[in-house]
Amino acid sequence: MGWHRELLIGFDLETTGTDPREARIVTGAVIEVRGGQPMGRREWLADPGVEIPADAVAVHGISNERAAAEGRPADRVADAIADVLVAYWKTGVPVVAYNAAFDLTLLSAELRRYGLPSLRDRLGGLNPAPVIDPYTIDRQVDRYRRGKRNLEAVCTEYGIALDAAHDASADALAAALLACAIAGRHPKIAALGPAELHRRQVEWYAEWAADFQNFLRRKGDATAVVDGLWPLREPADERV
């Protein structure tokens, strides 16, 4: 049948900023999708413990007042999300996240911030896998397509409706549906098993990062460094 017709777990975070090692979780969502149909969902609203900048509020619409009044403590939200994702990984179910390196690195940073077990700790020392990242896959299979590669643009390319961009539930569902659509358009992607597709994405992301770093240096930024780790970037002393 192909992995895209089996159970997939869409995942997304909305946050206080764009640096995954410094930003905090504001909302999170996990959506179960099978055969392109949503089956169930879990959602979280966190009190991040820091002020949500105005530009972040403008993106996801969660005010400081609402987060403080309705949000759960940030450590409990991070712990709960990690437990849910790990439970799926332990049974071999793929987690789908658009630009997974951002969301998983941010979640990992939150766990570290609160002294909670890391994703690897919860997985018995294994790396989080399988992960499916439509951003990384699309960039590989259609590398010369012009235009933006954000979630909205790529959803438009593949005919996926995204009516509430930057809502964690909407983005998580769109990521899962987008993964299915990419597999439908590219049979070679559909034919890969989740474990092999995960391995290929590790390679593709590293290749892209090296190419982009070289591009930046040719353009005059001699010290440019583009991290090629995917799907999780952690401090050097925690990498295995």
Side-chain angles (χ1 to χ4, degrees):
M1 290 181 63
W3 58 264
H4 60 301
R5 300 188 184 279
E6 303 294 339
L7 180 63
L8 299 173
I9 306 304
F11 168 54
D12 184 69
L13 298 175
E14 296 300 321
T15 69
T16 61
T18 58
D19 182 342
R21 293 187 177 90
E22 299 297 331
R24 311 295 180 91
I25 296 171
V26 178
T27 62
V30 169
I31 310 290
E32 292 186 345
V33 175
R34 187 187 295 272
Q37 297 298 318
M39 306 295 291
R41 69 182 60 204
R42 302 187 194 190
E43 300 173 301
W44 295 267
L45 171 62
D47 177 357
V50 299
E51 183 176 354
I52 306 172
D55 55 352
V57 174
V59 169
H60 52 61
I62 306 298
S63 68
N64 284 281
E65 293 76 16
R66 181 183 172 193
E70 302 176 21
R72 294 174 59 194
D75 59 339
R76 295 184 185 178
V77 169
D79 195 37
I81 294 173
D83 275 349
V84 168
L85 295 181
V86 165
Y88 287 117
W89 278 319
K90 284 183 174 179
T91 59
V93 177
V95 171
V96 183
Y98 196 85
N99 193 12
F102 176 84
D103 295 85
L104 292 178
T105 299
L106 192 150
L107 176 59
S108 178
E110 287 275 64
L111 297 174
R112 190 180 309 109
R113 181 173 292 120
Y114 296 111
L116 297 167
S118 70
L119 294 174
R120 288 193 181 104
D121 289 340
R122 296 165 197 248
L123 288 165
L126 299 175
N127 291 323
V131 175
I132 294 174
D133 183 353
Y135 178 58
T136 297
I137 298 171
D138 174 65
R139 199 164 50 191
Q140 175 68 23
V141 298
D142 199 357
R143 65 177 65 189
Y144 300 114
R145 189 179 74 245
R146 295 187 177 184
K148 295 181 179 179
R149 299 275 178 162
N150 58 30
L151 179 59
E152 298 95 318
V154 180
C155 280
T156 298
E157 169 66 22
Y158 286 89
I160 302 300
L162 179 58
D163 298 326
H166 301 297
D167 172 88
S169 290
D171 287 0
L173 176 59
L177 297 179
L178 185 54
C180 296
I182 293 173
R185 182 181 294 186
H186 300 280
K188 290 183 178 179
I189 298 299
L192 297 171
E196 177 61 17
L197 180 56
H198 181 102
R199 188 187 68 79
R200 297 280 186 96
Q201 289 172 98
V202 171
E203 295 175 352
W204 295 339
Y205 195 93
E207 291 169 0
W208 166 82
D211 288 344
F212 188 46
Q213 179 174 292
N214 289 336
F215 169 79
L216 293 176
R217 292 186 178 187
R218 289 197 304 270
K219 290 295 184 178
D221 187 352
T223 61
V225 175
V226 180
D227 194 330
L229 289 178
W230 179 97
L232 180 59
R233 303 170 191 155
E234 291 188 329
D237 59 356
E238 296 190 20
R239 297 174 187 170
V240 296

